[in-house]
Amino acid sequence: MDFKWNYEAPTQELMEEARELSRAVGISPILCKLLIERGIKSKEEAEKFFNPQLSELHDPSLMPDMDIAVDRLNKAIERNERILIYGDYDVDGTTAVALVYNFLKRYHKNLDYYIPDRNNEGYGVSRTGVDYAYETGVTLVIVLDCGIKAIGEIGYARQRGIDFIVCDHHVPDDELPPAIAIINAKRVDSTYPFEHLSGCGVGFKFMQAFAMSNGIQFQELTPFLDLVAVSTASDIVPIMGENRVLACYGLQQLNTRPCTGLKAMIHVCKLDGKELNINDIIFKIGPRLNASGRLYSGKEAVDLMVETDYGRALELAMNINAHNEERKEQDKRMTAEANQIVDTLEGLSERRSIVLYNEVWNRGVIGIVASRLTEIYYRPAVVLTRTGDVATGSARSVAGFDVYKAIESCKDLLENFGGHTYAAGLSMKVENVGEFSRRFEEFVSDHIEPEQITASIDIDAELGFKDITPEFFRDLTHFQPFGPDNHKPVFCTGNVYDYGGSKVVGRGHEHIQLDLIDCTNNTRKGIAFGQNEYISLIKTKSSFDICYTLEEDNFHPGHPILQIENIRPGGNGRTGK
């Protein structure tokens, strides 16, 4: 595929600032440029970035309604009230429920947890869930990763004598639900210093505040940070600020003493003995935990993460893995069907969005299909299916475009909606699908920038092979964990040549193993996955340009190998095609 390479050479002023920071910090000016672009401009800020500390976590009492929520929880425990932990069916929601349930059960036994059924109840707080709480004697519900828009449902619960504490991170409407407390850093009246926590992260802050109010040492909470790391990675929240601290220590916990359920899932993912990173969560652990809620019941994921017997946890993990295999088959089939529909759309080249509706598609998989469409066509995508008389769907976006605002512009057509900048859920009457598609396209066309719908790669810095030393690679690894707002840097090198050993590899001969030399006679090894179409260019003896990330060479630990993102003929200049 042809990509536009976006690279802007640093100004002389920026490089001087980077060299000054380099002298203070003791790492390459190239890496110091990356620090500056992340807002890190002093030695002190760099030290905090490279060595995050749990002491840097913000005071949870700064969160709106936190004191009210803690007071209500303390009273419930004092009175031995039955408490229900309620959460969304995705990874973020199920890890949040597992965290709060696992921590509170140390101090209160009259606990239960509940995950709504995606197909029968839909997203968020449901009347069915409220009825379950009432029938089982619950008087307090702690709802996690949802609830911020559940005005009618929480009002219904109040009529039945049930109080709600809402712990959410989704964007609130002007009107808030009638809960006892609403803990959400995105509230307009919030003064909390960081608004990008995952839903599980908000639950962690609630438990931190509860612990502080009862003289419980913070060390009692740290074993649950593995769940926070899984949610932070899976929910694609920025891994900077407080999230960076939580992710760093959460990964440390995941790699040393994960909870029994995650230990079993790590085994099922064949990750035993590997130093786990954010990508292992995003591409292996997270999708499996999500699979239960997509196809069957998200409660299975919570069952796994609260299980303490390893044998039973392994059975649960294997069952969830089977769900994931089934999910992949449905994903493949539905994506193929979606592509066939897109092929029949008139004026696709002029359209700035894709909205598809198929009433027989699986509601649990349409979010993945929407993601596939954005990757293939570089357009914000909404995929809808039918549930009764309602069309329900998921939206995904391209880099830099706020799909939540696009959906919000059509809210008069919707029954419900919620989400983030890059992912959202929505529902509407079936008869509104056509008008929604028209108005959504109109909003996107008016607000999206041309470069946001172009296949492109953002390049962070230009390197010569001589720059890629073991020391450079070691210092680069300290930028981890990577994620939104702290992406893995992409580098480029121009005018490289085949050193003679480049060849096609893989069972289907789809990859290229690269043996390269640059114009200063420095050599490097690389791998280009799924890019065998470039082998003829490489073997012409002509120069070509590469852009790549740096990964650890499995055969030479501590040394980098180039993972090629794209290849193009030499002499194209540094930007553009």
Side-chain angles (χ1 to χ4, degrees):
M1 178 180 288
D2 290 329
F3 288 88
K4 178 183 177 184
W5 292 17
N6 297 323
Y7 175 65
E8 188 173 333
T11 64
Q12 188 173 349
E13 181 182 9
L14 174 58
M15 285 313 300
E16 182 50 45
E17 189 178 358
R19 283 188 285 270
E20 184 177 338
L21 184 59
S22 172
R23 288 189 286 269
V25 178
I27 64 174
S28 162
I30 296 169
L31 296 180
C32 285
K33 167 188 171 287
L34 302 185
L35 287 177
I36 292 167
E37 290 170 343
R38 285 157 173 74
I40 299 161
K41 299 184 177 181
S42 69
K43 180 181 179 180
E44 293 72 27
E45 290 172 337
E47 288 175 347
K48 286 181 69 175
F49 178 78
F50 289 130
N51 300 287
Q53 301 295 318
L54 289 170
S55 59
E56 297 167 17
L57 295 178
H58 303 303
D59 181 352
S61 67
L62 297 174
M63 198 86 75
D65 287 359
M66 185 65 83
D67 293 341
I68 299 170
V70 169
D71 183 61
R72 180 65 184 89
L73 176 57
N74 282 333
K75 286 179 179 176
I77 292 174
E78 182 183 322
R79 299 167 181 165
N80 195 34
E81 295 180 48
R82 186 157 182 77
I83 302 171
L84 181 68
I85 317 300
Y86 189 117
D88 187 22
Y89 37 63
D90 69 357
V91 179
D92 195 12
T94 54
T95 52
V97 168
L99 185 152
V100 173
Y101 180 85
N102 280 336
F103 185 68
L104 281 185
K105 74 179 182 182
R106 299 180 173 191
Y107 310 101
H108 186 65
K109 301 304 180 187
N110 200 3
L111 277 180
D112 193 7
Y113 57 86
Y114 187 91
I115 303 294
D117 182 273
R118 182 191 291 260
N119 293 315
N120 297 324
E121 297 172 70
Y123 169 78
V125 180
S126 70
R127 290 202 170 210
T128 301
V130 172
D131 289 340
Y132 173 85
Y134 179 78
E135 291 161 5
T136 56
V138 168
T139 51
L140 176 63
V141 175
I142 299 170
V143 59
L144 298 144
D145 192 36
C146 56
I148 197 64
K149 297 190 176 188
I151 295 170
E153 293 81 4
I154 293 178
Y156 174 64
R158 287 191 68 176
Q159 293 171 8
R160 311 205 80 177
I162 302 169
D163 289 338
F164 263 71
I165 295 171
V166 174
C167 303
D168 205 350
H169 68 137
H170 296 97
V171 179
D173 285 336
D174 293 337
E175 183 182 0
L176 297 176
I180 288 290
I182 298 172
I183 304 169
N184 188 329
K186 290 188 174 76
R187 282 174 51 168
V188 293
D189 60 342
S190 175
T191 58
Y192 193 73
F194 188 76
E195 65 172 29
H196 300 297
L197 291 166
S198 67
C200 186
V202 177
F204 179 84
K205 299 303 292 188
F206 183 24
M207 292 301 95
Q208 183 187 2
F210 167 77
M212 290 168 64
S213 78
N214 289 280
I216 300 168
Q217 294 297 309
F218 183 79
Q219 288 77 6
E220 297 295 314
L221 270 168
T222 53
F224 303 98
L225 285 171
D226 54 353
L227 295 168
V228 182
V230 170
S231 81
T232 298
S234 300
D235 219 52
I236 320 296
V237 292
I239 303 189
M240 290 291 279
E242 193 165 32
N243 279 341
R244 180 172 173 80
V245 178
L246 293 169
C248 282
Y249 284 88
L251 280 170
Q252 191 177 102
Q253 183 71 27
L254 194 65
N255 277 295
T256 54
R257 298 187 65 187
C259 70
T260 304
L262 289 180
K263 182 179 180 181
M265 184 56 75
I266 289 167
H267 177 74
V268 167
C269 293
K270 300 180 180 178
L271 294 171
D272 294 305
K274 180 183 185 299
E275 184 74 15
L276 302 177
N277 57 37
I278 290 292
N279 279 348
D280 293 317
I281 298 173
I282 293 174
F283 296 110
K284 296 186 177 180
I285 297 172
R288 286 170 171 81
L289 293 176
N290 248 337
S292 288
R294 290 190 183 281
L295 299 186
Y296 297 100
S297 170
K299 185 176 180 293
E300 283 185 296
V302 182
D303 292 342
L304 171 69
M305 291 182 281
V306 302
E307 183 57 61
T308 57
D309 178 79
Y310 184 73
R312 175 59 182 151
L314 198 55
E315 289 178 14
L316 288 167
M318 292 173 68
N319 196 44
I320 289 172
N321 187 59
H323 296 338
N324 190 53
E325 292 301 312
E326 183 181 348
R327 187 273 306 166
K328 287 194 286 188
E329 286 299 315
Q330 292 199 26
D331 165 17
K332 183 178 179 181
R333 174 181 57 79
M334 287 167 55
T335 299
E337 292 172 358
N339 282 324
Q340 289 174 359
I341 296 172
V342 172
D343 286 343
T344 67
L345 293 177
E346 292 184 11
L348 177 63
S349 60
E350 285 75 41
R351 289 185 63 87
R352 296 296 177 260
S353 70
I354 294 173
V355 180
L356 301 184
Y357 171 64
N358 185 320
E359 62 181 25
V360 301
W361 279 341
N362 187 316
R363 182 175 178 175
V365 184
I366 54 177
I368 301 175
V369 176
S371 295
R372 301 274 187 257
L373 294 176
T374 62
E375 292 167 5
I376 295 168
Y377 299 103
Y378 298 93
R379 306 283 192 276
V382 179
V383 179
L384 299 155
T385 189
R386 183 166 184 156
T387 306
D389 295 328
V390 177
T392 59
S394 292
R396 297 293 184 269
S397 193
V398 293
F401 183 77
D402 191 337
V403 75
Y404 179 87
K405 287 184 178 178
I407 291 170
E408 187 178 39
S409 72
C410 307
K411 64 182 179 181
D412 57 300
L413 299 172
L414 306 177
E415 298 296 300
N416 198 6
F417 72 99
H420 312 287
T421 299
Y422 294 121
L426 65 162
S427 63
M428 69 193 79
K429 293 177 180 176
V430 172
E431 57 264 32
N432 287 344
V433 170
E435 179 63 9
F436 171 82
S437 178
R438 185 190 69 78
R439 282 176 46 187
F440 183 80
E441 166 65 20
E442 186 177 85
F443 183 94
V444 175
S445 294
D446 289 345
H447 293 86
I448 203 164
E449 299 296 331
E451 59 268 21
Q452 292 174 325
I453 55 171
T454 302
S456 63
I457 297 174
D458 293 329
I459 295 169
D460 294 275
E462 187 173 17
L463 298 179
F465 285 171
K466 64 179 174 53
D467 298 316
I468 309 172
T469 63
E471 292 75 24
F472 181 91
F473 182 60
R474 179 199 63 208
D475 293 336
L476 178 63
T477 61
H478 294 156
F479 278 68
Q480 296 184 62
F482 295 118
D485 288 3
N486 182 39
H487 61 274
K488 181 178 287 187
V490 177
F491 303 104
C492 69
T493 303
N495 294 316
V496 303
Y497 297 83
D498 174 31
Y499 196 42
S502 298
K503 59 184 178 180
V504 173
V505 296
R507 185 176 299 174
H509 303 289
E510 66 270 38
H511 315 309
I512 306 176
Q513 184 176 294
L514 290 156
D515 181 24
L516 302 174
I517 187 169
D518 70 3
C519 57
T520 61
N521 291 323
N522 286 278
T523 60
R524 284 287 156 198
K525 302 291 186 183
I527 183 74
F529 292 112
Q531 299 182 59
N532 59 359
E533 70 267 26
Y534 293 109
I535 191 64
S536 57
L537 167 65
I538 292 166
K539 288 299 185 180
T540 60
K541 302 298 183 182
S542 300
S543 72
F544 52 95
D545 303 337
I546 55 173
C547 63
Y548 52 88
T549 60
L550 293 175
E551 310 295 336
E552 186 166 35
D553 188 336
N554 292 330
F555 300 103
H556 301 91
H559 291 259
I561 189 170
L562 314 184
Q563 184 164 307
I564 308 300
E565 297 291 313
N566 196 223
I567 300 170
R568 67 182 189 183
N572 282 275
R574 294 175 178 170
T575 59
K577 281 192 173 182

